[in-house]
Amino acid sequence: PDQQATLIKNTTVWTSEAAGKLENTDVLLEKGKITKIGKSLGLPKGARSIDGTGKHLAPGIIDEHSHLAISGGVNEGTQAVTSEVRIGDVVDNEDVGIYRDLAGGVVAAQLLHGSANPIGGQSALVKLRWGAAPEDMKIAGAPGFIKFALGENVKQSNWGELNVLRFPQTRMGTEQVFVDAFTRAKEYEREMGAYNKLSKSQQKAAEAPRRDLELDALVEILNRQRFITCHSYVQSEINMLLGVADRMGFKVNTFTHILEGYKVADKMKAHGVNASTFSDWWAY
C-alpha cells in the first residue's frame, strides 16, 4: 500500500526520552517518518486524521531475540561450531507472524539462530516490512551479530538417547569448545595476516592459506566487527564465558535470558556486557 501522511490527534505520547510522557499531543507522520510532535498541529492536504483521545502512543518494540520468519528450522545442530551459517540466507518474508508482530507493535527484530550449539549461526537484523522481499526486510548497514549458547541445550541433555555422540556432552566440554574455536581463529588470523603482508611475487611463490568461513566469523568477533548474543541461564556458566572471553580477548555483547544474571551483575558490569531477560521471568 502507498504511504499516506497521517496525523494522530490528542493522544498520550510516551517518548522513552528525557521529555517523558506528553499529554494531549499530536504526532504527524509523512513518508513513513515522524516529522512533527506538538499540540494542535494542522492537518496537511491529503493526510488522514486519527483521533488518539484516551489512547497511548509509544515507540515500536524492538525484539532482541526472535525466531520469527526463519525458513526450514533455526538450528544447524550437527556441529558444535556453525559460525559460517547465516539466518540472513533463509528469511521467510511470507511468515504471517510478521503481520501479527506488527499488529502488536513490534517493528524490528534480531532473527537468531537456535541454541543447539555453543557457537551457532549469524543473525539477521530486520525491519518487519509486511509485503517486502526478504532482502528488503534487512536493515541496511546493520552490524553483524551471532548466536552463542550455554546450558542444557548445547550438551544435548534433552535430545534423547540417539544424541550422545556430538561433542560437547558436558559443561566442561562446552567451555573447551569456546577455547578451541578461538585458539583456531587466532592462528588463522595470524596466517592470513602474514600472507597478506607478502609482496605479490612472494604470494605467488607461497601457498595461500585456505579460506575458512567458520573462522572468518570468529575473527570478526575478536576484532569487534561481529557481536555475540548468548543464550544463558545459570551463574556458573555466565561466569565461565566471561572468563573465557577475558582470556581469549573478545567481548560478549548481550546475555539473553540471563535468569541468574543478578547473581553476577558486578562481573557483567566489569566486562561491559548487556542483559536481555524475559519481561515476566518466564519459568523462573
Side-chain angles (χ1 to χ4, degrees):
D2 292 334
Q3 289 177 332
Q4 184 180 8
T6 301
L7 181 64
I8 302 169
K9 297 282 293 178
N10 195 42
T11 192
T12 300
V13 178
W14 296 74
T15 67
S16 298
E17 295 286 351
K21 185 173 69 169
L22 308 177
E23 304 281 2
N24 305 315
T25 299
D26 301 349
V27 176
L28 177 63
L29 299 99
E30 296 175 293
K31 297 181 179 178
K33 302 289 184 183
I34 297 171
T35 55
K36 290 182 182 177
I37 299 176
K39 293 184 184 292
S40 303
L41 299 180
L43 183 67
K45 186 178 179 180
R48 62 174 177 165
S49 179
I50 295 175
D51 183 7
T53 304
K55 296 182 171 62
H56 297 259
L57 186 66
I61 297 164
I62 298 171
D63 189 347
E64 179 270 339
H65 185 142
S66 179
H67 301 301
L68 179 79
I70 299 172
S71 175
V74 302
N75 274 307
E76 179 52 68
T78 50
Q79 298 178 36
V81 180
T82 59
S83 48
E84 71 273 32
V85 305
R86 306 184 302 185
I87 294 296
D89 294 335
V90 290
V91 174
D92 177 10
N93 64 317
E94 296 182 346
D95 184 350
V96 71
I98 298 169
Y99 185 91
R100 292 170 178 158
D101 264 23
L102 282 166
V106 181
V107 296
Q110 177 181 198
L111 308 185
L112 282 169
H113 188 276
S115 55
N117 24 24
I119 300 178
Q122 301 171 29
S123 305
L125 275 64
V126 300
K127 287 289 291 291
L128 301 185
R129 300 177 172 121
W130 181 243
E135 288 301 312
D136 294 331
M137 287 178 60
K138 296 177 185 177
I139 298 172
F145 275 75
I146 190 168
K147 176 71 173 289
F148 280 26
L150 305 168
E152 301 302 302
N153 293 355
V154 300
K155 64 190 188 67
Q156 305 156 88
S157 301
N158 305 308
W159 291 25
E161 294 179 359
L162 297 178
N163 293 281
V164 293
L165 298 176
R166 196 204 75 182
F167 186 91
Q169 294 282 311
T170 64
R171 281 183 164 80
M172 59 184 174
T174 301
E175 178 172 5
Q176 198 58 41
V177 166
F178 294 121
V179 174
D180 288 350
F182 281 98
T183 299
R184 287 188 289 118
K186 288 185 171 189
E187 291 172 354
Y188 171 76
E189 184 179 29
R190 281 194 294 270
E191 288 177 11
M192 281 293 190
Y195 179 79
N196 290 332
K197 286 178 182 176
L198 298 175
S199 65
K200 288 189 176 180
S201 59
Q202 289 173 319
Q203 286 183 348
K204 284 182 181 179
E207 184 176 350
R210 178 179 175 274
R211 179 88 183 275
D212 190 316
L213 299 180
E214 179 182 295
L215 296 179
D216 277 346
L218 301 186
V219 169
E220 288 175 350
I221 294 169
L222 289 167
N223 292 325
R224 311 285 172 88
Q225 296 169 326
R226 185 168 298 280
F227 304 97
I228 297 166
T229 294
C230 185
H231 164 115
S232 53
Y233 290 115
V234 299
Q235 63 168 330
S236 57
E237 293 182 299
I238 297 162
N239 210 27
M240 174 273 288
L241 187 57
L242 290 175
V244 171
D246 290 342
R247 289 205 313 275
M248 303 304 291
F250 64 90
K251 287 284 185 183
V252 182
N253 189 80
T254 310
F255 279 117
T256 188
H257 310 324
I258 194 66
L259 290 189
E260 289 195 340
Y262 67 93
K263 296 183 178 180
V264 287
D266 54 342
K267 294 181 180 180
M268 290 171 60
K269 183 178 180 180
H271 184 81
V273 59
N274 301 288
S276 171
T277 193
F278 299 100
S279 58
D280 61 356
W281 288 71
W282 188 55
Y284 200 69

